[in-house]
Amino acid sequence: MLQISNLLFFALVILVLGTIVTIVVALLGIKSSIRRSKSWRIWLACLAGITVLQVPLLTSHREIEQSFRDLQVRLYTSHLRSPATYEGISFPAGSTVIRDYDDPHPVMGGTVPAGTTLFGLKIDGDFTISRTGDDGQTPYLAAGTLVAPATIHKVPCAKGGFSHTFDTSNTNEVVTCTLSTEGTIDGIPIPSGSEVVVTFNTYNGQIDASGDVKRAWRASGVDCAEGHFTYFSVLECPLTRDQVFDGYPVAAGHTASFKVDGKGSAVVYEGALSHDFDVAGVRIPAGSAFKTSYNGQYISADTLRTHTMDESQYVQFDLPAATSLTISGVVLQGEYVGLYVYNHSIKVHVVTPATDPDADADTAIRDGTFDLAKKTWSWEEEK
């Protein structure tokens, strides 16, 4: 079928040629004998009219293109009065089947009566069909509304809307739905009724998940509250109560992340302190955000306090806003105060409002290092 882009190209060519020919014919009228000819006047009027008509065609090409697309969709939309089969897919009477207008006109979607089974799933209403496989030609049900619970690539989906997609490289397979029963992701039990997005990496077998849980739940000793969670090798969720993990007191009401093994064991990677936390005589206040991993390597509270981690490793603590901390007579306070606790020192990063009205920046930065053994400070030049 002729494409709308071709029509617009032809219209542009006609406009250019028509303008040139019209100018040439008009110039012929310089000779009075030609100008008095009735045929010349008719040809000039016709050429000018045809040329002028191309202008609205070009200026309204978007509307024309959309109308052309709509016409193509209507031509390949079938409202079935009796059962029919397209691409080996059976559709009952009452279905609306929409095929692509490009050859070979594959089925793209449509609407089916309640209880229709497509690709082994009972659905109702609108549906979408996509294609995957090495040749990109294998059809599958990409979206619809389930009328009965079903398992879609190991994910137990409840009645309701779902989607099932592959990325363009066919490496990631993604299922989105509401869980009909408890679903296990890498040994982590996600409660039924949760709205989830589960990604399967078909290349390396890795499974990622995210979504919203409707009630408090427990995974590998972590008491998560209802709300949003993610699992990308690390479980992240808000806590429903204060908990202690490997010596780190983690506060409820804050999102925390954990490395879990699915067998009841978890270590905390990030969170907020529920109580003051002492390191080498420095008392870090409750509410401070902390990170216990460095380049993906976990640092336990015991390793931190016994100063036995690698020399380049540190645990980071960010003080709550408007909180001050005094270390060996130096008061640390500002818009942001970050502490980086190493084996033998604590590096400090303090951001405060600029005191110089002529300063280029709105904030001033002060970096220092506190020697844990000597109890002395050294400061870099203020920025």
Side-chain angles (χ1 to χ4, degrees):
M1 182 177 288
L2 188 63
Q3 296 297 310
I4 190 68
S5 57
N6 295 333
L7 292 175
L8 292 174
F9 175 75
F10 292 149
L12 180 60
V13 170
I14 292 173
L15 176 62
V16 174
L17 293 178
T19 301
I20 294 173
V21 173
T22 300
I23 292 173
V24 171
V25 172
L27 290 175
L28 292 175
I30 294 175
K31 297 181 65 175
S32 60
S33 59
I34 295 177
R35 190 166 60 248
R36 288 194 297 269
S37 170
K38 183 178 180 180
S39 297
W40 175 81
R41 291 195 296 270
I42 292 174
W43 273 104
L44 182 60
C46 290
L47 287 170
I50 292 172
T51 302
V52 171
L53 285 175
Q54 306 313 306
V55 175
L57 176 63
L58 292 171
T59 56
S60 60
H61 72 277
R62 295 189 184 278
E63 292 79 5
I64 295 172
E65 182 177 356
Q66 185 59 51
S67 299
F68 189 77
R69 296 292 189 199
D70 293 342
L71 175 60
Q72 289 178 311
V73 170
R74 287 196 295 271
L75 286 174
Y76 289 96
T77 298
S78 303
H79 303 284
L80 304 182
R81 295 184 178 180
S82 59
T85 299
Y86 300 91
E87 292 187 279
I89 309 169
S90 299
F91 295 94
S95 302
T96 296
V97 179
I98 302 173
R99 293 178 294 151
D100 194 349
Y101 44 76
D102 288 331
D103 288 331
H105 310 299
V107 177
M108 305 303 294
T111 304
V112 293
T116 299
T117 299
L118 292 181
F119 300 92
L121 301 175
K122 285 189 176 183
I123 64 171
D124 173 27
D126 296 340
F127 68 92
T128 301
I129 290 178
S130 295
R131 280 152 186 80
T132 186
D134 294 336
D135 58 358
Q137 299 299 317
T138 304
Y140 71 96
L141 193 60
T145 301
L146 295 172
V147 298
T151 298
I152 302 175
H153 195 78
K154 303 178 184 179
V155 180
C157 296
K159 294 192 297 183
F162 76 93
S163 68
H164 181 195
T165 59
F166 294 80
D167 62 18
T168 54
S169 65
N170 290 328
T171 299
N172 288 325
E173 184 173 358
V174 184
V175 177
T176 302
C177 69
T178 299
L179 296 181
S180 59
T181 60
E182 182 177 89
T184 302
I185 309 297
D186 271 6
I188 300 173
I190 311 300
S192 62
S194 302
E195 299 171 354
V196 298
V197 179
V198 184
T199 301
F200 300 88
N201 188 305
T202 57
Y203 178 74
N204 59 21
Q206 180 176 326
I207 302 175
D208 297 328
S210 63
D212 292 292
V213 181
K214 306 303 181 182
R215 58 181 174 83
W217 54 295
R218 184 177 177 84
S220 297
V222 179
D223 288 326
C224 297
E226 65 175 288
H228 190 73
F229 82 95
T230 62
Y231 176 73
F232 303 110
S233 298
V234 173
L235 173 64
E236 185 174 287
C237 69
L239 294 187
T240 188
R241 66 182 181 88
D242 292 350
Q243 290 186 259
V244 177
F245 292 91
D246 199 15
Y248 292 106
V250 189
H254 297 268
T255 297
S257 64
F258 303 86
K259 184 68 174 180
V260 299
D261 62 8
K263 299 178 182 179
S265 176
V267 293
V268 60
Y269 269 24
E270 295 186 31
L273 296 176
S274 60
H275 300 87
D276 291 352
F277 185 80
D278 184 85
V279 180
V282 176
R283 187 164 293 275
I284 301 170
S288 298
F290 66 90
K291 297 180 181 179
T292 66
S293 64
Y294 177 82
N295 286 343
Q297 295 181 330
Y298 170 69
I299 302 169
S300 70
D302 182 66
T303 299
L304 174 66
R305 284 170 166 154
T306 56
H307 314 294
T308 53
M309 54 190 173
D310 291 344
E311 291 300 319
S312 62
Q313 291 181 323
Y314 61 81
V315 174
Q316 179 178 345
F317 297 90
D318 297 334
L319 271 58
T323 300
S324 63
L325 174 64
T326 301
I327 301 179
S328 191
V330 175
V331 179
L332 306 176
Q333 187 172 17
E335 292 182 353
Y336 169 80
V337 178
L339 308 179
Y340 306 84
V341 183
Y342 293 79
N343 273 342
H344 307 295
S345 63
I346 300 177
K347 293 186 178 181
V348 176
H349 183 67
V350 182
V351 179
T352 57
T355 56
D356 183 358
D358 298 324
D360 294 333
D362 294 330
T363 57
I365 296 175
R366 192 181 188 206
D367 292 318
T369 301
F370 178 68
D371 188 303
L372 290 173
K374 298 178 181 179
K375 305 299 182 184
T376 57
W377 281 98
S378 61
W379 293 92
E380 298 179 15
E381 184 177 346
E382 191 168 317
K383 303 175 184 177

